[in-house]
Amino acid sequence: MIYKNLMLTMGMSALTLSSVLVQADTPAVYLGGNLAALKYTEAGLHDDATFKSIFGRIGLQITANFSGELRAGMGLRDESVAVLGTDVDLELDHFYGAYLRGSFQASDEVSPYVIIGYTKGELTGSAPGAESATVSESDMSLGFGVDFLVDNSVTVNIEYMRYLDKDGFDVSGPSLGISSSF
C-alpha cells in the first residue's frame, strides 16, 4: 500500500512537472542527500524524540526560481521516551513526499527558498512486555532554506522543515545537505 501511494504521488508529480516543462528552456535534474535531526513532539509525552535521519532528493530545476522535488528517507536509530514511567522505543521507519520550491538569487552563490508539499511517514513504538504499534500519517509540509553554490553543479543547503503537524503531534527539524545537478 505504501509503495502504491508513493508511485501514485510520483506519477502525479511527474505529470504536473511535465506540463510546466513546456515553458522551460533547459531544465536541470539534481540529485542530493541530507542529514536531518527531526524532532517528534507529542502532547502527553514528557520527552521529545529527536531522530537522526537521512533522506535522498531528486529534483527538477524548471526555471531559475522554481523546482519540483521528490524525497524519501528514514531514521538512523531508535529513540527512547518516557511514557507514564515506562521507556518506549520509537523508530522513524520511513518518510517520503513531493514538494515545490520557490527561490530567488540573493547573490551568485546564495539562493534562499521556501518549500511546500506533502509528506507521508511511518513511526513504530514498542515497550517492554507489549506488542509494537505502527502509525502512518500524512500531511501538508512547509519549510525554508538556503542553497549555497559551491561550483557550477554542486550545491550545499541548510533547511528547516515541518513535515507533519497533526492534532497532538508534529515532526519537524533542520537538515544539512548536498546536491549535484546534471
Side-chain angles (χ1 to χ4, degrees):
M1 183 69 173
I2 290 170
Y3 297 106
K4 181 179 174 185
N5 289 338
L6 177 61
M7 296 308 288
L8 181 61
T9 301
M10 291 173 67
M12 295 294 284
S13 299
L15 286 173
T16 302
L17 292 175
S18 65
S19 66
V20 176
L21 283 179
V22 175
Q23 302 170 10
D25 292 335
T26 54
V29 173
Y30 60 91
L31 294 174
N34 285 53
L35 293 172
L38 300 180
K39 184 182 277 190
Y40 173 81
T41 306
E42 183 175 338
L45 287 184
H46 209 322
D47 300 326
D48 295 334
T50 300
F51 296 106
K52 308 302 186 266
S53 59
I54 62 171
F55 60 88
R57 307 181 287 141
I58 183 168
L60 184 62
Q61 189 70 43
I62 299 165
T63 69
N65 302 96
F66 182 72
S67 62
E69 193 170 283
L70 299 175
R71 296 180 178 188
M74 63 185 201
L76 295 176
R77 67 171 205 252
D78 295 357
E79 290 293 318
S80 284
V81 295
V83 178
L84 302 173
T86 302
D87 285 339
V88 175
D89 289 331
L90 297 176
E91 179 182 352
L92 178 59
D93 298 323
H94 61 266
F95 61 97
Y96 57 87
Y99 312 91
L100 297 174
R101 288 177 23 142
S103 64
F104 71 93
Q105 285 297 127
S107 71
D108 289 341
E109 296 85 20
V110 179
S111 294
Y113 64 86
V114 294
I115 183 168
I116 188 169
Y118 178 81
T119 302
K120 184 166 180 78
E122 185 175 278
L123 180 74
T124 299
S126 58
E131 289 190 36
S132 63
T134 300
V135 176
S136 182
E137 287 288 345
S138 57
D139 199 8
M140 293 297 296
S141 306
L142 182 63
F144 57 91
V146 180
D147 286 332
F148 300 95
L149 185 64
V150 177
D151 72 24
N152 286 339
S153 65
V154 177
T155 302
V156 173
N157 81 307
I158 187 166
E159 176 181 278
Y160 183 87
M161 187 83 157
R162 175 164 279 166
Y163 286 100
L164 300 167
D165 185 10
K166 293 296 218 178
D167 290 340
F169 78 91
D170 71 64
V171 176
S172 58
S175 70
L176 178 64
I178 188 166
S179 65
S180 180
S181 60
F182 50 96

